Every structure is written in structure tokens, then in C-alpha cells.
Amino acid sequence: MNADELEIRLVRFGVRCTMLCRALPVQKYYDAKHVADQLLRAGTHAGFHYPEARSAESRRDFLHKLKVLLKELRESRAELRYIYHMKYVEPSRVEPLLEEASQLIAIFIATTKKLTAKEEKAA
């Protein structure tokens, strides 16, 4: 997968998180509103951070920005798990997003590990 495809994948993840947030029973449960707000922020920010990372000024800057993106993805996954366990919507609406979040996290963990090893060699 190239960088453009990964960027599109992150944006689509954000869109899917947004659509899930729209489906949450925010009028019925105040906690659903809270988690919807949090997921909306974290789920979309992952896709917003990637173009910034791609335009980083150095490898170190790129690595830092990827780590911020990774934090957003981890937060998204935690919020998705919460939604899943609270049973706000059918599990089938949440499970694919949990899987996608896990896959994206794995991609960026591998990338940050590789870059960290290169940074350590260069130092």
C-alpha cells in the first residue's frame, strides 16, 4: 500500500467513525454523546494527521507526527470497544471498525519501529 492509498484509508476510517457516531443514541444517553464526541475527534484526527506527517521537515519530525497519529488510532479503538460493550448499536456495526482500527495500528506500529531503529542507528 502506498502513501496515497494509506491516506485515503485513514480518511475512510474517519468517515466510518463519523457515520457510527451519527447512529449512537445521543439523545437517550448522555454517555453516548460523550463517547460520540470523543470518537468523532480521534477517528477523524488520525486521517488529518497523516498528510501533516507526510510533509514533515525531517525523519524525526515524521516519526513524531506518526506517533501522534498512532495515539489517535489507539484512542479510537478504545472508544470503539466501549461502544461495542455498551451495546449502543448492533455489534456488526462496530466490529468492522474495531478490525480496521487494529489493522491501522499494526501498520503504524511497524512503521514507527522501523523509523525508530533507523534513528537509533543514525545517532
Side-chain angles (χ1 to χ4, degrees):
M1 174 176 302
N2 69 36
D4 289 335
E5 292 168 334
L6 189 53
E7 186 172 326
I8 290 168
R9 187 171 173 182
L10 286 164
V11 169
R12 286 184 178 153
F13 175 74
V15 167
R16 291 170 63 203
C17 286
T18 301
M19 300 310 284
L20 177 62
C21 290
R22 289 180 179 181
L24 295 181
V26 297
Q27 301 298 325
K28 188 173 182 181
Y29 303 110
Y30 68 91
D31 49 305
K33 168 103 171 79
H34 173 72
V35 76
D37 290 344
Q38 292 294 105
L39 178 59
L40 181 63
R41 185 195 54 74
T44 57
H45 279 193
F48 299 160
H49 284 294
Y50 190 64
E52 283 298 312
R54 290 180 69 188
S55 65
E57 297 175 12
S58 66
R59 187 177 359 192
R60 176 177 253 159
D61 186 35
F62 180 68
L63 180 59
H64 172 73
K65 289 177 182 193
L66 286 187
K67 287 180 178 180
V68 171
L69 181 155
L70 191 50
K71 286 180 181 186
E72 298 289 356
L73 287 171
R74 286 183 175 131
E75 183 179 338
S76 297
R77 184 174 61 184
E79 290 152 356
L80 289 164
R81 285 178 176 156
Y82 181 84
I83 290 166
Y84 177 85
H85 289 291
M86 289 298 293
K87 300 179 178 158
Y88 291 130
V89 294
E90 291 298 315
S92 61
R93 297 235 13 216
V94 184
E95 290 166 342
L97 277 169
L98 277 167
E99 179 61 30
E100 179 68 356
S102 294
Q103 288 178 16
L104 289 166
I105 289 167
I107 289 167
F108 286 103
I109 285 175
T111 304
T112 56
K113 281 183 180 180
K114 185 186 291 186
L115 288 170
T116 300
K118 286 183 180 180
E119 281 292 311
E120 289 171 356
K121 281 185 178 180

